[in-house]
Amino acid sequence: MSFERTLEKLKILADAAKYDVSCSSSGSKRTNTNKGLGDSTGMGICHSYTEDGRCVSLLKILLTNHCIFDCAYCVTRKSNDVKRAAFKVQEVVDLTINFYRRNYIEGLFLSSGIFKSADYTMERLVAVAKKLRLEENFNGYIHLKSIPGASDELMREAGLYADRLSVNIEIPTKSGLKLLAPDKNFDDFIKPMEKVKNEIIQYKSEKKIIKSTPKYAPAGQSTQMIVGASGENDFQILKTAEHYYKNYNLKRVYYSGYVPISYDDRLPSIGSEVPMLRENRLYQSDWLTRFYGFQTNEIVNLNHQQLDLDIDPKLSWALRNLHEFPVDVNKADKRMLARIPGVGMKSVTKILMARKYRRLNWDHLKKIGIAFNRAQYFLVCDSNLFERRDLPAEKIKANILRNSNSKYDKLLSPQLNLFS
Amino acid sequence: MQHKSLIYDGTFEGFLSCVFYVFEYKLSDVTIQNEFVNQNELFADTETILTDKQKSNRVWKGLKQKASTLTSTKIYYAFLSEQPKVENVLLDYIQYIFKSSEKVDTDFTQPSVLKTSQIAKNVSREKHRMEAFVRFKLTKDNIYFANIEPNFNVLPLIARHFKSRYADQKWIIYDIRRNYGLFYDLLKLDFIDLDFPDNFDFSKTSSDFFSEQEFDFQKLWKDYFDSTNIKERKNMKLHVRHVPKRYWKYLSEKQPNL
Ligand code: SF4
């Protein structure tokens, strides 16, 4: 491999791939059983972090940034005047293996611009994964981007070698998509997703009968939506996410605050701020529905279409539902404990265990690690020291905001700093 | 009764032997100290405890019967923290476990239970960080070599992870603070000691020791790392929280341009 040329390609094709926010390498079990290279045991590892604070766990690149389409929000679009490059299949394989051997990465995330046709492109992505698995005996993580419009046969093959497949919806509404990605057909996204979903279901039922059924996309599928490019509100975004979680069995939906990259006047102009706080709130909401037992409707609905930016969605829900509080920490069930602002899932588990031994008071709760500043207005425990006063929602909110330390209003990573 | 100070050899078995001794002689006022950090307390009656595999096994087995696997793991993790006085926190915890009639693993209202849990969590965090931040460099002898300098003694904890991951390459991970390492030779895993040449710089890749293509891959990795950054989203505070500066020295992506 020619080092100089590879170096240049890597710069171009990593730069073009960086706006895809999915980075997770978790959720796959591919143990090293053949004395080969690599092991994916389910827990993703972030090997480094970019200066913008995002996890680096995969070699995330495009196979090529040549593209026949012209989606307005994309740096790779046909009409954009950028340097173009394309990797050979073997080059991607070599980079992945050598980075993996040095413990830089957990595996590969391979996406691509569409060159020639959807199938022609998808075929090459599959070829990389196939080579890694069959020739290099590689057990690390592989995430392939499904190219919209790729055929069922290719999607089937892709899932045999990849751990995860994803197709980015990017724009949550049909009308937005029509405006910004005129070459794209909404159904082209759905078709590969549908195929992958059905293959996964089939794999699961066959595996019950025949143990040796080859694995099919064990880490499932995910998708990404751009936030703040085409005017949707949070209600539309979260409802779309809910739809995909339910109907396509998605493992993750990612939200990506739009980074202005174009002078196209259909889009926020260059220099406008990336909506990072909003993105963070969307992740928090997503988290509430996936792990805290909330329904999307409780977080956003027709009367409350936009998430608050100054407080997190759980606190926002609590303030709108004061009649559910105070919660008695020594009696309440798991579901209600999880709904107390300032109490994270880990604290919930600790509370449930610790209260078997004695009734808990504020001292215990603080040691367990609840965020007192928020929690105090919403719970009672075995101390009357901080009897809850009947305050109206606005007052509680004002108090919390006044006493919140910097930790609370700082801009943090969507995936790591959530509640408690 | 007079305050007693038990000195042991720094190994986990040695510590458990001390615990055995405490139970055997029903000592109540006691400190347990690693011989390397021995403070020689004034007025304390000092006793050196020899490591006894059988006795330590008995304590360990008893513990596993009275408490969950998670708890014994936490105790081991916390022990590897090498934090001053951690032995006494663990002794309190173990005594509390043995004297209670029911399981007390998760009684977080008890100071030693909570403290052990917290220390174990810190150790566990460093274990994960080491699994992430080890950077292998290919030597001229075709061995992938990495050096680390963790605050806690996590090398024994990361062995299995690397063994299952890099089954088809020879590798060494060396703890230069504690001066011992792990060597995998394609068949088995061993603890080793190494002597390094005087001109060996742990933060650099010298062509005296490392393979020619090693430089290329470090450069590719560093350039990759720089290209993935989105400058409109820069957040150095968050970056440093994830990658604390004490690890930067040995991260290839954090080296000045080659
Ligand atoms: S098809 Fe994909 S790569 Fe091509 S312009 Fe649209 S979003 Fe970009």
Side-chain angles (χ1 to χ4, degrees), chain A residues 67-71 73-74 76-78 112-114 170 184:
Chain A
C67 190
I68 54 173
F69 282 6
D70 206 25
C71 309
Y73 47 81
C74 176
T76 299
R77 70 187 181 281
K78 174 174 68 183
S112 183
I114 302 176
E170 305 287 22
K184 275 184 180 162

Side-chain angles (χ1 to χ4, degrees), chain B residues 165-228:
Chain B
R165 172 164 297 215
Y166 296 109
D168 75 338
Q169 70 190 41
K170 289 186 191 172
W171 53 264
I172 291 173
I173 302 173
Y174 207 81
D175 183 338
I176 54 180
R177 177 180 293 190
R178 294 168 187 80
N179 202 20
Y180 79 111
L182 269 175
F183 176 42
Y184 175 72
D185 65 0
L186 297 181
L187 294 169
K188 61 188 187 323
L189 204 54
D190 281 316
F191 285 108
I192 51 163
D193 292 327
L194 288 177
D195 289 323
F196 292 95
D198 289 340
N199 60 343
F200 195 89
D201 182 339
F202 288 100
S203 63
K204 293 212 171 59
T205 305
S206 153
S207 56
D208 296 345
F209 311 105
F210 294 100
S211 90
E212 210 44 63
Q213 47 158 334
E214 182 51 40
F215 299 93
D216 291 351
F217 281 109
Q218 281 181 33
K219 174 114 182 73
L220 284 167
W221 171 241
K222 189 180 153 48
D223 275 28
Y224 171 72
F225 179 79
D226 293 340
S227 315
T228 55

